[in-house]
Amino acid sequence: MSDLRAGLRRLEKAYFRSGASRLFAELMSRKARHLYRRVIEDVGPLPVGAALADFGCGHGTFLAMYLAEHPGVRGWGIDQSAELIAFASRQCARQGVSCAFSVGDLEDPLDAAGPFDVAVSCSSIYCWQDPVAVLDRIHESLEPGARLLVYDQLPVRTFRQAHRALFLQRLFGLGLPAWTRGELEGFAARSRFRGAKVEIDELIIRLELTKAR
């Protein structure tokens, strides 16, 4: 990892742990709903009683949206930022849905409320210093046969990509500290998951990983 990328990751983590992250939560909970709509469609309907986890849940918009549409599903989210977790709890309360949240760093051993039937992680992996270790911790929290859907933004390399990211895909960022496709596929290959389905839509990458039965 380059010094620049490592420094950007440290700045991101420090920002999200600060009170200023409330501004980010207010903005993204309104402006990024189209991105979470895609995740909801990818997860699909789950049976009543199923357990759904969001690793790096941030402001909780995905969980609030999904649980409002699928009230029989049990939701759980974790994030390093107490400010964002508080925002997520309020957002779910406003939606009238019940969801459990925990404050914690995914780089540390997880005290997850699993096992989970499906897990997602949206725009979080770029902050992980050791993605393989985090993926293995998530793997431990899943039921056999469970899916993990990981979403992130690929690095912007050209002006055209920057224009599309900001104005067409409305990604609200340029992916400066983001991992490349090759790096992300390498993390998946070295993790306890076996095999990864990769989909790319312009600058959005999705990895679907499944825990063996």
Side-chain angles (χ1 to χ4, degrees):
M1 183 192 306
S2 71
D3 291 341
L4 174 61
R5 290 168 77 186
L8 287 170
R9 284 187 174 85
R10 287 193 294 270
L11 288 174
E12 290 260 9
K13 294 185 81 168
Y15 171 77
F16 287 128
R17 286 173 172 158
S18 73
S21 63
R22 289 193 297 271
L23 299 175
F24 165 84
E26 290 287 356
L27 173 65
M28 297 304 287
S29 64
R30 294 180 173 88
K31 300 298 184 181
R33 298 178 74 85
H34 64 291
L35 300 175
Y36 297 114
R37 173 56 53 193
R38 171 179 178 163
V39 182
I40 290 171
E41 293 172 355
D42 288 348
V43 171
L46 296 175
V48 172
L52 170 66
D54 187 348
F55 290 91
C57 66
H59 41 81
T61 301
F62 163 72
L63 285 168
M65 291 174 63
Y66 187 94
L67 296 175
E69 298 176 17
H70 304 85
V73 174
R74 295 181 291 116
W76 178 82
I78 184 171
D79 198 89
Q80 62 168 338
S81 170
E83 292 282 352
L84 293 182
I85 288 295
F87 186 97
S89 297
R90 292 193 299 271
Q91 183 167 206
C92 283
R94 289 195 298 269
Q95 291 276 359
V97 300
S98 176
C99 186
F101 290 102
S102 297
V103 177
D105 194 325
L106 297 179
E107 304 284 348
D108 299 328
L110 294 177
D111 184 19
F116 302 107
D117 301 290
V118 178
V120 304
S121 184
C122 305
S123 191
S124 176
I125 193 171
Y126 77 92
C127 282
W128 304 351
Q129 300 293 333
D130 188 349
V132 176
V134 176
L135 288 173
D136 285 348
R137 292 189 183 101
I138 295 174
H139 181 277
E140 293 176 359
S141 74
L142 300 181
E143 291 276 15
R147 293 179 297 151
L148 168 64
L149 303 176
V150 178
Y151 299 81
D152 204 12
Q153 178 181 344
L154 294 172
V156 167
R157 302 301 191 197
T158 66
F159 177 80
R160 176 181 178 276
Q161 288 179 329
H163 180 271
R164 294 190 68 83
L166 294 173
F167 297 103
L168 298 180
Q169 289 191 289
R170 292 176 289 161
L171 297 179
F172 307 102
L174 299 178
L176 294 178
W179 304 109
T180 65
R181 173 179 180 168
E183 288 171 325
L184 290 168
E185 290 179 327
F187 300 146
R190 297 197 301 276
S191 74
R192 294 174 62 189
F193 291 97
R194 285 296 171 262
K197 297 179 182 178
V198 179
E199 288 187 7
I200 295 179
D201 177 12
E202 295 284 350
L203 290 170
I204 298 173
I205 185 168
R206 185 194 82 163
L207 286 79
E208 179 176 340
L209 303 97
T210 303
K211 182 173 181 176
R213 294 185 181 277

